[in-house]
Amino acid sequence: MNIDNNKPVEIIINTKIIFYEEPPKKDIWGSKSVVYELYYASKSGTLQLFEMGAFGDSELIKVFQDRRGRGITVDEMLENIQEIKEMTYKEFKEKILKR
């Protein structure tokens, strides 16, 4: 099989966003944090947002896709991650969760 000239069929971005009430302390179990996981698949252009629980369980909160059904491009997804990186938790709740 020769795949040298083939482009990727799909790109999957899976990343966590962690907001800390206070930074975790050394040698202490647990922390006061809120964790979200972004799961993006380029084939469908769909972004799924999960809220992570204390024991690794997750709940699907939202699914994002372009209104015209064209999907989110990889470049748009990377821009979204860059924008989220600069947000406070309050801004994240207002701009992302309430969208």
Side-chain angles (χ1 to χ4, degrees):
M1 178 185 345
N2 185 359
I3 64 169
D4 291 341
N5 296 321
N6 294 345
K7 293 184 178 181
V9 174
E10 182 167 21
I11 294 173
I12 295 174
I13 299 173
N14 189 12
T15 189
K16 289 187 178 161
I17 302 165
I18 304 168
F19 294 98
Y20 289 109
E21 183 176 331
E22 55 187 51
K25 296 179 179 137
K26 187 178 178 184
D27 300 326
I28 294 180
W29 186 80
S31 65
K32 293 183 178 180
S33 64
V34 179
V35 181
Y36 293 93
E37 185 173 62
L38 297 175
Y39 181 85
Y40 167 76
S42 66
K43 200 173 202 176
S44 64
T46 303
L47 168 65
Q48 296 175 334
L49 177 65
F50 294 88
E51 185 172 8
M52 304 300 291
F55 298 102
D57 54 326
S58 62
E59 178 182 349
L60 179 63
I61 301 295
K62 289 197 170 263
V63 176
F64 297 95
Q65 191 172 27
D66 183 84
R67 290 181 188 174
R68 287 172 249 120
R70 71 168 174 83
I72 301 168
T73 66
V74 174
D75 290 336
E76 289 171 332
M77 186 63 223
L78 294 173
E79 286 175 17
N80 290 340
I81 291 172
Q82 184 67 29
E83 185 179 331
I84 290 169
K85 181 185 88 155
E86 301 299 326
M87 290 181 184
T88 64
Y89 184 52
K90 181 180 179 181
E91 292 170 331
F92 182 80
K93 288 190 304 185
E94 291 171 357
K95 293 180 180 179
I96 306 296
L97 298 181
K98 291 185 180 178
R99 196 194 276 183

